[in-house]
Amino acid sequence: MIKRTNLLTLKPKTLDHNIIDRINQRQVQMLIHSCIYYTFQTSVIPDATFDRWAKELVQLQSQYPEETKQTLYYTQFIGWDGTTGYRLNTYMWEKKAEWLIEQYDKK
């Protein structure tokens, strides 16, 4: 006998919005700091910090694929392995990057 499942009674998986927020945060950080590094040839954070954030982002995206699909920059990070931000589309972040560089230089 085949057991049938009533699709109307299946509960959709609840997304964790804290995870979505964290992934969004890390994606934005990768975009901005990649822009600073590759467009302006400078850095305002240590390489080790970028690497730590990148590793965390890759892990979160792997562990929470459904939440990742709900992030603002999901398509930019498809297949991204965290080793470099060189191929990320950072054009829209140039003004923010310039501002961060200015703030860093004031210190």
Side-chain angles (χ1 to χ4, degrees):
M1 180 172 172
I2 299 174
K3 183 177 180 180
R4 295 184 180 222
T5 303
N6 183 347
L7 295 177
L8 296 176
T9 62
L10 292 177
K11 290 184 178 181
K13 181 182 175 203
T14 303
L15 297 177
D16 187 332
H17 291 280
N18 291 325
I19 295 296
I20 293 170
D21 291 344
R22 184 61 167 195
I23 294 171
N24 273 322
Q25 176 189 14
R26 288 293 183 238
Q27 288 174 342
V28 168
Q29 288 170 318
M30 295 296 96
L31 290 163
I32 290 173
H33 290 285
S34 293
C35 181
I36 290 170
Y37 189 79
Y38 292 106
T39 303
F40 298 101
Q41 289 86 42
T42 191
S43 186
V44 297
I45 61 170
D47 289 346
T49 299
F50 183 93
D51 294 342
R52 184 172 30 86
W53 290 347
K55 183 178 179 180
E56 179 187 359
L57 177 57
V58 168
Q59 182 180 22
L60 286 168
Q61 291 180 144
S62 175
Q63 189 173 354
Y64 300 98
E66 294 307 313
E67 283 81 356
T68 298
K69 290 176 186 174
Q70 301 305 311
T71 62
L72 297 171
Y73 305 103
Y74 164 66
T75 58
Q76 291 195 45
F77 289 88
I78 293 173
W80 186 70
D81 66 1
T83 57
T84 180
Y86 180 73
R87 299 201 186 279
L88 294 174
N89 183 357
T90 61
Y91 175 75
M92 68 185 281
W93 297 99
E94 288 182 6
K95 294 292 182 193
K96 179 70 172 179
E98 286 178 320
W99 181 84
L100 283 171
I101 293 167
E102 289 172 9
Q103 298 308 305
Y104 181 77
D105 289 343
K106 288 180 182 179
K107 289 183 179 181

